[in-house]
Amino acid sequence: MRIVLLGAPGSGKGTQAARLREALGVAHVSTGDLLRAQVAAGTELGRAAKAVMEAGQLVSDEIVLGMLEARLGEPDAAAGFILDGYPRNVAQARALDALLARLGRPLDHVIQLDVDEALLFDRLAGRAAAEGRRDDNPETVRQRLRVYAEQTAPVIDFYAARGALKRVDGVGTIDEVLDRIMAALGKTAVRAG
Ligand code: AP5
């Protein structure tokens, strides 16, 4: 199964993608995680991306697409994937269409997690306190939300226009949200206990 998970910063994409990876046996492909790994490793790409990420802006489409293509070629993605954090603008959505057409692996589902802005701030403030992610300070969160509204919200319209988008309420416990996503995928959540 090949899925795009859309949603604002803090909407729960990473949290839910990790659960979906377990539930569906597909790869969790987070462009944010891939970029943070490059930053941590001090690669040339990571050095180019670091300041852009800390400013809450988008890293260049070309860099992210190259990274994504390499990741989709890894063995765990053969069974399918959940894209978390990609596409983030309409140019990336078109590039993804072209890449997946070339690979003969079109998308099956596009899910958008809906969470209101006040709760996004609360969640990211919680994570800032717990984990100290450098782009979770209030000023950068505001900038990330601006970038989301200006550049990523049109991606929602892009997929909605082709009838491919399913909206899921992202407010509730992690299990409740997972159940809603699984229902939107036409699956039943199975969990231990
Ligand atoms: P990225 O890492 O993708 O960050 P983001 O989209 O801002 O997403 P977050 O990780 O903040 O939120 P999330 O929706 O994954 O929520 P999470 O599950 O973590 O990107 C970072 C940067 O990298 C970008 O700003 C950009 O610079 C660059 N980048 C990445 N992709 C790019 C691309 N394609 N093109 C260009 N640049 C790119 O949850 C958040 C918190 O809430 C956690 O603490 C979690 O525990 C908690 N939480 C989650 N669900 C619930 C729940 N149901 N109830 C209570 N708490 C919850």
Side-chain angles (χ1 to χ4, degrees):
M1 192 177 274
R2 296 175 292 271
I3 303 167
V4 162
L5 198 51
L6 296 171
S11 59
K13 302 182 296 297
T15 303
Q16 294 298 333
R19 299 294 190 95
L20 290 166
R21 176 173 65 102
E22 297 297 322
L24 302 172
V26 296
H28 171 192
V29 177
S30 158
T31 46
D33 286 350
L34 292 172
L35 286 165
R36 280 184 288 276
Q38 295 284 334
V39 172
T43 62
E44 193 180 326
L45 193 161
R47 286 196 297 278
K50 185 170 187 284
V52 179
M53 293 171 78
E54 287 178 6
Q57 301 287 353
L58 296 186
V59 176
S60 93
D61 290 348
E62 202 183 359
I63 286 182
V64 181
L65 181 65
M67 228 177 43
L68 176 74
E69 184 166 3
R71 178 67 183 88
L72 293 183
E74 290 179 21
D76 65 334
F81 50 78
I82 304 146
L83 295 186
D84 154 16
Y86 194 96
R88 254 181 151 89
N89 58 33
V90 171
Q92 290 187 4
R94 294 208 170 97
L96 179 65
D97 271 352
L99 172 63
L100 297 182
R102 182 154 54 79
L103 298 175
R105 306 174 74 196
L107 290 175
D108 299 307
H109 297 279
V110 181
I111 303 280
Q112 182 213 343
L113 285 177
D114 241 340
V115 175
D116 66 70
E117 200 166 295
L119 187 54
L120 297 174
F121 272 103
D122 285 353
R123 286 185 183 176
L124 294 178
R127 188 172 63 188
E131 296 175 23
R133 202 171 112 176
R134 291 177 71 94
D135 59 351
D136 278 344
N137 64 78
E139 191 189 326
T140 310
V141 168
R142 270 192 293 277
Q143 178 58 28
R144 286 160 60 200
L145 288 170
R146 265 197 296 273
V147 167
Y148 180 79
E150 288 168 12
Q151 301 196 46
T152 313
V155 175
I156 292 168
D157 302 335
F158 176 89
Y159 288 118
R162 60 164 84 155
L165 185 81
K166 295 201 176 83
R167 291 173 204 268
V168 169
D169 180 2
V171 181
T173 68
I174 291 169
D175 281 344
E176 284 167 349
V177 177
L178 178 65
D179 287 351
R180 290 178 204 140
I181 297 173
M182 291 292 276
L185 298 174
K187 302 264 181 191
T188 310
V190 177
R191 67 178 68 90

